[in-house]
Each structure stands twice: as structure tokens, then as C-alpha cells.
């Protein structure tokens, strides 16, 4: 079926020469990178830099116009097979089941209770029984401190609560990687903290995460790698300490000068 | 004193009412508007009345024109649904109704009829290949098409179970030639036209009913009734009636 | 005065059991409305799915073209003309039950309107809902069934019920193919009694009562549905 590649070690996703354009306007210009198991990668950059598009390409919510994205199955062994999700013949739905996604606007299902939001995908897609799905969902709910809201509807919750539920919804599928698309940008300031703290807990549990964010504090504290995208170019990346303290490129210096 | 005032009031009201009453049929010809004879018809019924160009022509139209001329009136023709002709006449919106209308007891309860000016019969149209060759072949299983509210409709509804009532005679004939129904019962004159213009149809020799055509006039409007009857008898005796009919119906 | 009215009532409804024309006609009107509404739901649903699938994924291009043609033709011509075309042209030379003909004609007609209602309902669901479904691993169909449709349905119910009310009233042209629905029933009485007032008012009243009952039903339904969501 899909194209194959071989990779060593802990690589989960390898992006090669990724190109994406909208109506002739290039949004991602030949991006290549690797994401390893346990990585917490924060993607930062000015608005319109293509960082959300990059994230959405990783689970093909946007279809790339060129390049490859190899996803390596999380199995033991040194040599593993990478599946190119840019290949049209790849069954993207099974891959998405292992890639949790959290949106800026939460996107909880308003017509379902919280519990139903959490269990519908595991039950329909992973053939979990209701008991299995609900017991795992309850466990995760209590970890984000929302056990008492299981029978509420999303509309009855605050933004911060909804976003925590949205994270739990993705976790209920037991993903091997979590994608966060500006998860705190739609929140009132006083609710940002509760969501970031859930994400921090996740990072400490060694969940692989790619986070598009404007929260520089979070990136500095939690990420092990920070990527800077500007104008569709992958300008610079590095460990947070050197990245923020000793930026190399002028573009990054300029950007950090504005946001810090 | 009070009584006197109220009596006076009542008196004026009675007088006013009486004045209204007399003014209604007040013109000397009996028409609602002096000098104009308004005729209601349904111009889908050749050769009695039908559209030709932008005019309504036919036997009824010409007879009405002749009557109007005798009465010294101008004729105005209103083309409305057949069902609505009698309500139109009895409500006074039209003075007379000429629409190849057969005199029946039911209709007489709503309007008065003039002397008959033509006679007609209801005939049965069938396809040339039909198994129906006489009236006795029509039975409870026969699907009979009629035009809503025509005498064919009324008589057939009393006698048969499967009646399909079309808005236009033409549509009943179309349904017949498409094999949707078994027979059409309709006035003989339009029947001849329909059969002549549609291939594969024929009229049964035996007619379903025989009937008289007359003009409908608002109940109690004796002035108009007398005027129309007088005009009709003059038209009959001077041969105009026969001439008009002969113009539209070639003897066969 | 009173006795004249009583006489008119007797003449129009009691004599010769004329009220049968109204009750039988009402039955036909209800049957035609119900079944053409059902047929319209199925047709409209399928068309809406095809149209929005094409809009979202670019698949089913030819089917989408056909649906577009269907919507244009049906919504661009009067229902009474469609009815007569189906009776006198499409089913020419066929002895077909007229109630069935009317159900087919009104069903095809209503399907076009219901398709657009369903489609607008689907489009009213925010795009993020669709993406959330897909990101969990649901395929297009599953996302539609589990996430989009239930939300679209809530939005659509009031508009859909208004379409059924319109449909009920539109079936009054069934008389054009000599089908004896409620309106035609009134017309037949009119043609027998030569009075316009009572038969027409009676017919109008019956329609009005049905529409009011349906309207009431819609508002009850709306309240029920909004209770579930609590947005």
C-alpha cells in the first residue's frame, strides 16, 4: 500500500519536504523535521506563519501538496515501517485514531453528554464495551478534576472545562501522539492555567505532543524542543533554553522581541 | 316622545331598505347595470362557447349577442369556471348564464331558466377498440370520465360508482385516449368536436340523456326573464336561432 | 334568516350525503400529504447527502450534477404543472392509480424543497464539529451519522414542519388530475348546489384546523428538542 521507509530508534513522525499552498499562496515551504517518542514540541511563530497548517497536515485535516509524512507505528523493535500518510491510498482514519487532536474552539459535540463525548469514539471505532469505555473515561475525568460533570452537556461548562474535556476526549482513544492547535487561544485569561496544567501533566507522563501555541512560558517550561515557523519557512529550532536565550536568526530575534 | 322618535327611525329605515330593494332590479331591462348585459360562461365547451383568438365565440355567445341587441344592451362576456356560473348569476355578478347549461330540478332551486333555446344530449365517447358498444355495457366497473358539475357528471354520479371528474372536458377525453378511463360522458356537440379532433375515438349511437339548454337568470328577476324570453321567441320565429346553430353545427 | 342558513347547511352538506365529498376528500388529502412527505424525506435526504458530500469531499460529481438539475427543474416550475406532466405525459397510456400519481408528483416536488432544508441544516453545523469527528478517526459517513446529522436534525425540524404545512396546502391542486381531494370535494358540492359560500368556507376551515394543529405540534416538538441540547 503506502510508501515505506525505515527508521531507527524513537522516531514517531518524520516530515520530509512538506509543501502546502492555498490558492497559489505558499503556506508551508519545504518543511522537514522529525518528532520522536516522548517529544514535547512547541511550534511558535507569528499568525499566518503556517504553524496551524503544519499541525493539521500531520493528521491530514489539510491535504499536503507535496512531500511526505511518515508515521511510525509504536511497536517494539529497532527497525520499523513508516507509513506515508500523504499517500492517498493510506487509510487515514486508522491513523487518526492514534493521533489525538485538540482544537482552539474545543469542538465538543453539543448534543451529547460529556460521558457520551468521551465514549462514542472508543465504542464505535475500537469496539470497546460501554463499561470499558466509561471506566477509562471516568478515570481520566477524575484526573482533570471533572468527575462531577459526566452527565452535563458541553454548553453547561466553562471554556476551560470544555477544553479539559476535549483533551480527555482525545486521550480516551489512547493515542500515541497528541496534537494541540492553539488550545488556550479561545479561553478567558483566568482559564488558561487549568488547561496548561493538564497539558503539563501529560508531558510529564511522557506523552508525545506537538503544540501550536502563543504561550511562550509554557513552551519554555514544558517543551523539550521549540520550532519557529515564519512565512512558511522552518526558520529555527532548538532546546528551549538556547532557543529563547540565544536566538540565532534575525527573524526569531525580531519575533521574540515582540512577544516576550 | 321616545316612541315617536323610534317609530320615525324605523320608518326611515324601512323606506331606505325598500329604496335599495327596488333599485336592484330597477333598470327597465332587468340588468344590473343599465344598458349592459353581463353573460357568464365557461368558454371551454365547443361549439357552444370557446376561445377563438382573443374572442369568445360559439352558439351561446352569438345567441346572447342577439338577445342583447333585441334588448338594446351591450353584451359583456365573462369566462369563469362552469361550477361558478350559477353562483355568479344568483349573486347578481352576472345577469345571465349561457354555457350549454341543461335545465335540471336542482339548478332550478338556485336560478330561473329562460325558455329553451337548444336541445342537446349527453353522449358516451369510447375508444374505437373499446368493448363498450352500448349503454348497457356501462356498469359498476366502468371508469367514466366527466367534466365536474356538468349534467353528465350529475347523472353519472347517481348511476355509476367510478366517476373521474376532470376540470375540463378536454382532459377527460385525453385521459380516455390515453387509456386511463373507459368512457367519457359529455354533451353531444362538444363530443363531436373532440372525436373529430382526436383519432381513435367514437361516440356511441345511443345517447345517455336528452336535455334542454336554457339561459340561467337570477331568481325573481322577472323583468329580465321576460325580456330574454321575448327576445328568444322573436329570434326563433325570424330564423336567427336556426341560422346560428347551423353556422356551428353541420347537420349530420 | 336562521332557517335560510339551516336550509343552506342542509342543501350543501346533508342532502344526498354531500358531506361525504368532504370526508372522503379529507382522507385523500391526508393520505397524499403523508406519503408524499415521506417520499420527500427519503428523496430529500439522499439528495442532501449527495450535495454536501460533493461540497465537502469533491466526490460524486455526476450524481451532484443530476441532483442540481433536479432541484432547478422542480423548484423552478409550478407543482400543478409537474402534477399534470406526471399524469398526462410520463404516465401517458398507463392506467395508474391517481392517488399514487399525486403522491409521486408531490413527493418529487417536496423532495426538492426538503433536500435544500436538509442541506442547509448540514451546513449550519460548524466545520469544527466535522473536523473533531474526523480527528477522532471517524470516516466521512460515520462523522455524518454520529455527529453532523443529529445536530442538523434539531436545526431543521421547524423548517421541515413548515414544509409539510405548505405541502398539505399545495395538495389542493390534486383536482387537476381529477383526484377527489378535500378541495375537489368542495368543488363537487359547489357544482351540485350552486352555492359558493358554504362549501368553500367549510373546505377552508378544515385546512385551517389541520394547519393550526400541525403548527401546535411543531412548537411542542421544538420545545422538546431544545430541552435536549441546552446550548
Amino acid at each position: 500500500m503506502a510508501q515505506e521507509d525505515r527508521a531507527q530508534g524513537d522516531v514517531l513522525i518524520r516530515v520530509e519536504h512538506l509543501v502546502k499552498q492555498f490558492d497559489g499562496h505558499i503556506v508551508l515551504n519545504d518543511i522537514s523535521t522529525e518528532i520522536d517518542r516522548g517529544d514535547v514540541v512547541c511550534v511558535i511563530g507569528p499568525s499566518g506563519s503556517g504553524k496551524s497548517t503544519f499541525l493539521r497536515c500531520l493528521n491530514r485535516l489539510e491535504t499536503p501538496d507535496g512531500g511526505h509524512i511518515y508515521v511510525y507505528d509504536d511497536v517494539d523493535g529497532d527497525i520499523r515501517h513508516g507509513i506515508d500518510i500523504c499517500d492517498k491510498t493510506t487509510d487515514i482514519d486508522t491513523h487518526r485514531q492514534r493521533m489525538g487532536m485538540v482544537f482552539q474552539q474545543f469542538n465538543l459535540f453539543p448534543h451529547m453528554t460529556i460521558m457520551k463525548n468521551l465514549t462514542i469514539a472508543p465504542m464505535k471505532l475500537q469496539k470497546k464495551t460501554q463499561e470499558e469505555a466509561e471506566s477509562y473515561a471516568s478515570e481520566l475525568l477524575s484526573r482533570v478534576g471533572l468527575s462531577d460533570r459526566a452527565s452535563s452537556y458541553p454548553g453547561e461548562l466553562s471554556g476551560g472545562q470544555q477544553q479539559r474535556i476535549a483533551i480527555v476526549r482525545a486521550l480516551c482513544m489512547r493515542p500515541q501522539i497528541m496534537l494541540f492547535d492553539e488550545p488556550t487561544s479561545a479561553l478567558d485569561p483566568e482559564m488558561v492555567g487549568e488547561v496548561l496544567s493538564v497539558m503539563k501533566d501529560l508531558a510529564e507522563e511522557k506523552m508525545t505532543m506537538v503544540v501550536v501555541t502563543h504561550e511562550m512560558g509554557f513552551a519554555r517550561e514544558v517543551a523539550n524542543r521549540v520550532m519557529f515557523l515564519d512565512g512558511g519557512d522552518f526558520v529555527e529550532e532548538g532546546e528551549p533554553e538556547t532557543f529563547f536565550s540565544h536566538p540565532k536568526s534575525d527573524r526569531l530575534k525580531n519575533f521574540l522581541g515582540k512577544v516576550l | 316622545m321616545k316612541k315617536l322618535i323610534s317609530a320615525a327611525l324605523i320608518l326611515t329605515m324601512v323606506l331606505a331598505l325598500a329604496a335599495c330593494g327596488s333599485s336592484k332590479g330597477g333598470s327597465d331591462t332587468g340588468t344590473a347595470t343599465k344598458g349592459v348585459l353581463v353573460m357568464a360562461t365557461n368558454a371551454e365547451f365547443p361549439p357552444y362557447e370557446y376561445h377563438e383568438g382573443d374572442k369568445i365565440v360559439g352558439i351561446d355567445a352569438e345567441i346572447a349577442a342577439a338577445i342583447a341587441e333585441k334588448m338594446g344592451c351591450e353584451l359583456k362576456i365573462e369566462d369563469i369556471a362552469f361550477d361558478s356560473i350559477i353562483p355568479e348569476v344568483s349573486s347578481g355578478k352576472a345577469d345571465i348564464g349561457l354555457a350549454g347549461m341543461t335545465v335540471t330540478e336542482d339548478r332550478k332551486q338556485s336560478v330561473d331558466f329562460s325558455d329553451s333555446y337548444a336541445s342537446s344530449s349527453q353522449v358516451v365517447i369510447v375508444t374505437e377498440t373499446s368493448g363498450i358498444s352500448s349503454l348497457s355495457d356501462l356498469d359498476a366497473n366502468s371508469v367514466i370520465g366527466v367534466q365536474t358539475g356538468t349534467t353528465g357528471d350529475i347523472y353519472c354520479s347517481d348511476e355509476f360508482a367510478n366517476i373521474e371528474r376532470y376540470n375540463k372536458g378536454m382532459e377527460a377525453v385525453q385521459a380516455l385516449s390515453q387509456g386511463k378511463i373507459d368512457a367519457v360522458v359529455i354533451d353531444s356537440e362538444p363530443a363531436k368536436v373532440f372525436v373529430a379532433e382526436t383519432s381513435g375515438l367514437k361516440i356511441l349511437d345511443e345517447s345517455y340523456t336528452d336535455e334542454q339548454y336554457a339561459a340561467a337568470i337570477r331568481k325573481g328577476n322577472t323583468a329580465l326573464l321576460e325580456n330574454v324570453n321575448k327576445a328568444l321567441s322573436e329570434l326563433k320565429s325570424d330564423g336567427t336561432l336556426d341560422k346560428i346553430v347551423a353556422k356551428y353545427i353541420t347537420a349530420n | 334568516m336562521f332557517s335560510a342558513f339551516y336550509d343552506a347547511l342542509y342543501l350543501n352538506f346533508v342532502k344526498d350525503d354531500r358531506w361525504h365529498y368532504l370526508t372522503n376528500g379529507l382522507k385523500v388529502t391526508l393520505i397524499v400529504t403523508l406519503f408524499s412527505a415521506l417520499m420527500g424525506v427519503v428523496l430529500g435526504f439522499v439528495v442532501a447527502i449527495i450535495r454536501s458530500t460533493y461540497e465537502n469531499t469533491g466526490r460524486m460529481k455526476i450524481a451532484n450534477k443530476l441532483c442540481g438539475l433536479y432541484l432547478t427543474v422542480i423548484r423552478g416550475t409550478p407543482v400543478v404543472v409537474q402534477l399534470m406532466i406526471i399524469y398526462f405525459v410520463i404516465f401517458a397510456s398507463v392506467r395508474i392509480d391517481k392517488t399514487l400519481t399525486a403522491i409521486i408528483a408531490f413527493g418529487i416536488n417536496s423532495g426538492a424543497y426538503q433536500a435544500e432544508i436538509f442541506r442547509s441544516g448540514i451546513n449550519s453545523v460548524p466545520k469544527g464539529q466535522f473536523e473533531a469527528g474526523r480527528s477522532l478517526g471517524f470516516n466521512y459517513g460515520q462523522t455524518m451519522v454520529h455527529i453532523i446529522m443529529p445536530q442538523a436534525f434539531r436545526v431543521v425540524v421547524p423548517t421541515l414542519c413548515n414544509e409539510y404545512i405548505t405541502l398539505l396546502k399545495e395538495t389542493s391542486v390534486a383536482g387537476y388530475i381529477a383526484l377527489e381531494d378535500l378541495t375537489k370535494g368542495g368543488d363537487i358540492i359547489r357544482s351540485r348546489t350552486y352555492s359558493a359560500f358554504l362549501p368553500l368556507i367549510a373546505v377552508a376551515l378544515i385546512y385551517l384546523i389541520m394547519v393550526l394543529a400541525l403548527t401546535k405540534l411543531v412548537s411542542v416538538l421544538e420545545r422538546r428538542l431544545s430541552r435536549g441540547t441546552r446550548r
Side-chain angles (χ1 to χ4, degrees):
Chain A
M1 50 179 267
Q3 286 188 38
E4 277 188 22
D5 192 25
R6 284 158 191 274
Q8 297 282 331
D10 282 339
V11 174
L12 258 186
I13 293 179
R14 203 166 85 230
V15 179
E16 285 180 358
H17 307 298
L18 183 64
V19 174
K20 174 69 186 174
Q21 46 188 19
F22 289 115
D23 303 324
H25 173 68
I26 291 177
V27 183
L28 295 176
N29 187 14
D30 194 18
I31 307 279
S32 297
T33 189
E34 280 183 7
I35 293 158
D36 292 346
R37 191 185 303 166
D39 263 354
V40 176
V41 179
C42 279
V43 184
I44 63 169
S47 52
S49 60
K51 52 193 193 302
S52 277
T53 308
F54 169 71
L55 190 79
R56 290 161 60 86
C57 282
L58 295 182
N59 67 350
R60 221 169 85 186
L61 278 186
E62 303 291 351
T63 313
D65 296 310
H68 303 282
I69 299 172
Y70 296 101
V71 174
Y72 293 87
D73 231 341
D74 189 13
V75 289
D76 293 341
D78 287 339
I79 298 171
R80 294 176 297 145
H81 296 291
I83 309 284
D84 183 5
I85 61 163
C86 296
D87 190 321
K88 288 239 187 305
T89 59
T90 302
D91 178 10
I92 191 66
D93 296 319
T94 49
H95 282 278
R96 283 181 180 146
Q97 291 182 24
R98 318 261 356 240
M99 303 172 99
M101 179 132 183
V102 176
F103 300 87
Q104 186 177 346
Q105 298 292 343
F106 334 135
N107 294 342
L108 293 178
F109 306 134
H111 58 298
M112 300 175 186
T113 61
I114 297 306
M115 186 51 85
K116 189 88 194 151
N117 264 278
L118 301 182
T119 55
I120 182 166
M123 284 169 65
K124 301 280 180 199
L125 297 171
Q126 296 177 334
K127 307 293 168 215
K128 294 263 162 52
T129 65
Q130 191 173 341
E131 292 77 45
E132 283 174 320
E134 286 189 356
S135 86
Y136 188 51
S138 303
E139 189 190 320
L140 293 174
L141 267 185
S142 73
R143 275 162 59 186
V144 301
L146 290 170
S147 294
D148 54 333
R149 307 319 293 264
S151 55
S152 305
Y153 283 87
E156 299 165 327
L157 271 56
S158 73
Q161 290 174 325
Q162 289 195 51
Q163 194 61 300
R164 283 188 276 161
I165 297 294
I167 295 171
V168 171
R169 179 175 66 181
L171 290 175
C172 280
M173 293 294 285
R174 300 173 198 265
Q176 58 177 342
I177 182 168
M178 287 284 285
L179 310 176
F180 292 85
D181 189 3
E182 304 197 26
T184 56
S185 297
L187 294 175
D188 291 336
E190 73 270 21
M191 292 170 181
V192 171
E194 61 189 72
V195 172
L196 289 181
S197 102
V198 169
M199 291 167 63
K200 204 173 146 190
D201 291 347
L202 262 183
E204 278 163 11
E205 290 163 25
K206 294 295 167 209
M207 170 62 77
T208 311
M209 295 159 69
V210 181
V211 186
V212 170
T213 187
H214 292 292
E215 297 290 332
M216 297 305 152
F218 176 84
R220 193 165 199 158
E221 188 189 346
V222 181
N224 66 328
R225 275 166 65 208
V226 184
M227 284 169 61
F228 175 59
L229 272 177
D230 187 17
D233 294 321
F234 191 12
V235 180
E236 193 172 335
E237 78 159 283
E239 289 181 6
E241 203 44 47
T242 37
F243 184 90
F244 285 108
S245 311
H246 308 288
K248 279 172 264 172
S249 64
D250 289 341
R251 284 156 91 179
L252 178 56
K253 280 179 197 158
N254 186 19
F255 175 72
L256 291 175
K258 276 186 209 152
V259 296
L260 288 178
Chain B
M1 192 57 186
K2 256 187 186 171
K3 271 186 189 165
L4 239 169
I5 293 174
S6 50
L9 273 174
I10 290 168
L11 192 67
T12 31
M13 276 167 68
V14 169
L15 282 174
L17 280 173
C20 285
S22 64
S23 71
K24 263 192 175 170
S27 68
D28 44 0
T29 50
T31 56
T33 312
K34 196 175 174 184
V36 181
L37 182 67
V38 180
M39 159 185 166
T41 192
N42 174 232
E44 319 242 2
F45 197 63
Y48 285 92
E49 45 268 321
Y50 54 97
H51 286 273
E52 198 174 274
D54 54 357
K55 274 166 61 183
I56 293 169
V57 298
I59 297 172
D60 285 341
E62 290 207 20
I63 290 176
I67 293 172
E69 197 191 314
K70 292 269 180 207
M71 288 166 54
C73 288
E74 185 200 332
L75 178 69
K76 225 182 105 199
I77 301 180
E78 283 186 4
D79 180 21
I80 57 175
F82 187 81
D83 298 357
S84 307
I85 294 171
I86 288 186
E88 196 99 334
V89 168
S90 59
S91 67
K93 281 192 195 139
D95 296 311
I96 58 171
L98 271 82
M101 190 181 285
T102 309
V103 181
T104 66
E105 285 310 310
D106 267 345
R107 285 174 181 161
K108 274 185 187 167
Q109 295 196 345
S110 304
V111 287
D112 288 339
F113 280 102
S114 70
D115 296 336
S116 153
Y117 60 86
S119 62
S120 175
S121 50
Q122 295 287 318
V123 296
V124 182
I125 310 178
V126 293
T127 57
E128 278 170 355
T129 53
S130 172
I132 298 167
S133 56
S134 74
L135 281 180
S136 55
D137 291 334
L138 291 174
D139 58 25
N141 294 323
S142 314
V143 183
I144 299 168
V146 296
Q147 183 180 1
T148 311
T150 57
T151 45
D153 174 12
I154 291 164
Y155 292 143
C156 287
S157 296
D158 286 342
E159 197 176 340
F160 301 107
N162 293 320
I163 308 296
E164 301 212 336
R165 300 176 180 90
Y166 290 85
N167 289 351
K168 297 171 181 176
M170 175 272 291
E171 285 175 342
V173 173
Q174 210 162 55
L176 174 67
S177 67
Q178 289 188 347
K180 290 188 169 76
I181 54 178
D182 297 315
V184 170
V185 173
I186 199 160
D187 289 59
S188 60
E189 296 312 327
K192 284 174 198 159
V193 177
F194 289 139
V195 170
E197 289 180 359
T198 317
S199 61
L201 299 183
K202 64 178 182 187
I203 298 172
L204 294 188
D205 293 338
E206 193 181 351
S207 61
Y208 181 62
T209 56
D210 291 301
E211 54 206 31
Q212 301 291 314
Y213 286 171
I217 291 166
R218 180 193 165 93
K219 247 187 177 336
N221 191 348
T222 42
L224 182 58
L225 185 64
E226 279 164 18
N227 278 319
V228 170
N229 279 341
K230 184 162 157 269
L232 273 176
S233 75
E234 285 172 23
L235 293 170
K236 245 178 234 173
S237 53
D238 69 9
T240 315
L241 267 187
D242 290 338
K243 237 187 268 170
I244 292 172
V245 174
K247 182 176 158 192
Y248 286 92
I249 302 169
T250 42
N252 57 344
Chain C
M1 167 73 182
F2 239 179
S3 78
F5 183 69
Y6 179 82
D7 285 348
L9 272 182
Y10 177 83
L11 175 70
N12 281 297
F13 303 124
V14 183
K15 193 176 174 223
D16 297 338
D17 282 339
R18 286 188 175 126
W19 57 275
H20 278 300
Y21 288 118
L22 294 183
T23 52
N24 293 339
L26 176 61
K27 221 186 292 166
V28 172
T29 293
L30 288 175
I31 288 171
V32 170
T33 306
L34 178 69
F35 286 100
S36 54
L38 285 176
M39 181 176 160
V41 167
V42 176
L43 250 174
F45 193 75
V46 171
V47 170
I49 293 291
I50 291 173
R51 301 259 292 164
S52 53
T53 300
Y54 174 75
E55 281 165 16
N56 288 331
T57 67
R59 278 183 280 168
M60 304 211 261
K61 195 170 173 191
I62 293 168
N64 178 63
K65 274 261 161 63
L66 286 175
C67 291
L69 183 71
Y70 161 69
L71 295 181
T72 308
V73 170
I74 295 300
R75 297 193 306 158
T77 53
V79 64
V80 62
V81 177
Q82 294 162 16
L83 177 71
M84 290 201 286
I85 286 176
I86 287 179
Y87 186 65
F88 283 115
V89 180
I90 295 180
F91 289 122
S93 317
V94 183
R95 191 173 290 213
I96 180 170
D97 181 66
K98 276 204 291 284
T99 311
L100 184 63
T101 312
I103 289 171
I104 292 172
F106 290 113
I108 289 175
N109 180 268
S110 183
Y113 290 95
Q114 293 191 53
E116 288 300 87
I117 293 170
F118 283 129
R119 193 167 69 104
S120 75
I122 291 170
N123 288 346
S124 77
V125 179
K127 204 166 181 282
Q129 290 291 311
F130 186 78
E131 291 186 341
R134 294 306 302 267
S135 78
L136 285 168
F138 286 113
N139 64 28
Y140 180 81
Q142 290 168 323
T143 307
M144 275 295 175
V145 170
H146 297 304
I147 291 147
I148 306 300
M149 293 300 175
Q151 296 185 60
F153 180 69
R154 276 156 217 256
V155 178
V156 145
V157 162
T159 333
L160 211 52
C161 289
N162 283 332
E163 160 62 18
Y164 299 143
I165 289 172
T166 309
L167 178 64
L168 172 75
K169 290 183 288 180
E170 277 194 340
T171 60
S172 62
V173 298
Y176 274 85
I177 59 165
L179 180 63
E180 286 173 14
D181 71 322
L182 179 57
T183 304
K184 183 81 180 180
D187 283 351
I188 295 170
I189 295 180
R190 255 181 344 129
S191 78
R192 300 294 190 272
T193 62
Y194 312 107
S195 56
F197 182 78
L198 278 176
L200 285 175
I201 295 296
V203 166
L205 267 179
I206 297 172
Y207 277 113
L208 186 64
I209 289 165
M210 289 193 291
V211 169
L212 289 180
L214 271 172
T215 312
K216 179 82 191 154
L217 197 74
V218 177
S219 66
V220 171
L221 209 64
E222 255 184 301
R223 241 177 294 137
R224 279 266 171 86
L225 283 174
S226 64
R227 214 180 293 157
T229 327
R230 282 181 278 190
R231 294 211 187 211

